[in-house]
Amino acid sequence: MKKVSVIGAGFAGLTLSLRLAQKGFTVELFEKEPRVGGLLGTDRTDYGISEKAANALIRTKESEDLFKELGIQPSYPLESSKKRFIFRDHPTRWPLKFAESIQFIFKFIPQFIFVKNKLRPKEFETLENWGHRHLGSAATDYILGPAMQGIYANEISGLSSKLILGGLFAGKKNKRYSGLLTGPGGMQDLIDQLESRLRQIGVKIHTSSTVELKNLEGPVVLATSATAAASLLESSIEKSFENSFANTTAQTSKILKTIKMSSLISVTLFFKNEQKKYQGFGCLIPRQFHLKTLGILMNSYIFKDRNGTYNETWILGGAQEQPLLALSDLEIISLIQTERKKILNLDSEIHDHRINRWDHALPYYDLILEKAQQDLNQLNPTKKIYLHGNYLSGIGLSKILERSQFLSEEIAKHHG
Ligand SMILES: Cc1cc2nc3c(=O)[nH]c(=O)nc-3n(C[C@H](O)[C@H](O)[C@H](O)COP(=O)(O)OP(=O)(O)OC[C@H]3O[C@@H](n4cnc5c(N)ncnc54)[C@H](O)[C@@H]3O)c2cc1C
């Protein structure tokens, strides 16, 4: 059987290994950390679970199929999660004032109905520019900005409109995006089931392992962050690969190195008192208020298994907020308490908390990444080294899953 080596056992590496093994490849998966899952994982506390990073996948046919084949009974969001808040002096479901709403309706709706094509983002245009052109400044600042920052964890003044909105105009249909899904015990259920299924079907998983590309047989997939992929490629050039693709490898590494990564903190807090004022998915915070919080997830109103002790997850950080990672635990908790008072006007004692600092963890979906993706697409593929991860097809897990399927088909076509 043909052999494939996959480096990096985050969601990208795990799901790709599954699809490759199902296509009959002998797969070896190498992970530098002692555990698999990468950014994904769930802490269990006396008060309930706390997600380390992602709390759910977008519900698509592919994600539902994955849960089904792994035997995980999905947990779907509660009805209460349909309400979403945006902060504008207080959390509100519609953050625009009357005149701003009129401006938005008259600017956006006619374009949407009559000249939809004009909404297509331009190359190398920031999302903020796109928003000003099509939505007006208030809707950009108080709706588009916070919504996108909730997913991409960065201000829209730097985000690429093409990378983020381009897919909406790509003509892909038949995708059934309807809500979210997770495991009843959180994302760790998914990781545990993926790991055990891979072992069952013969995938060799090496944890705490460092590998050199030149020692690996068959095609190799780098399913790490862009930065880690750049270093792996760079060290392989030093160890002198065959000349035929040394050049492409060097160019790929150079492009990957340009990709900026942003840092985040996610903090789950278990409160002594349940807040009942805002019962919804959560609250997004526009940058105009100069707060450090990007968004709040009201976990107890999202999934039914999270309502034992009322808990919220606070996300802070982004490309401009790297210094936050140096704060001590006490300083982070005190910052959240201050901002919780300003945002929700609530003071409540905390039973317990879990802090996750993610240093340079997420790719910044900016104009540099747009250029990097364009440059990577123009390189001659080596058919020996493939790239996978959240800087290529989308930051979210459902997009990563789609790419795992696509890559497994590509590899089968050339090496099966
Ligand atoms: C706070 C937060 C909240 C999020 N919320 C959501 C959400 O609700 N829904 C959603 O869809 N997405 C969410 N995301 C995004 C999503 O979690 C990530 O994009 C996704 O998990 C990335 O998976 P990955 O496999 O590409 O990368 P990673 O998880 O980073 O995995 C890469 C792996 O490669 C390993 N590695 C690196 N270098 C080497 C090497 N040299 N040798 C071997 N192994 C190596 C790493 O140790 C790691 O295990 C969130 C992210 C964060 C940070």
Side-chain angles (χ1 to χ4, degrees), residues 7-13 30-33 35 37-40 52-58 209 211 223-225 228 232 264 266 315 358 361-362 389-390 395-398 400:
I7 305 184
F11 188 70
F30 300 90
E31 168 55 52
K32 79 172 166 41
E33 298 297 330
R35 63 174 282 278
L39 294 177
L40 303 184
K52 288 179 185 294
N55 72 348
L57 286 84
I58 289 181
S209 124
V211 274
T224 64
S225 67
L232 280 160
L264 279 186
S266 79
I315 312 282
W358 295 112
L362 281 184
N390 59 4
I395 217 162
L397 300 166
S398 59
I400 294 175

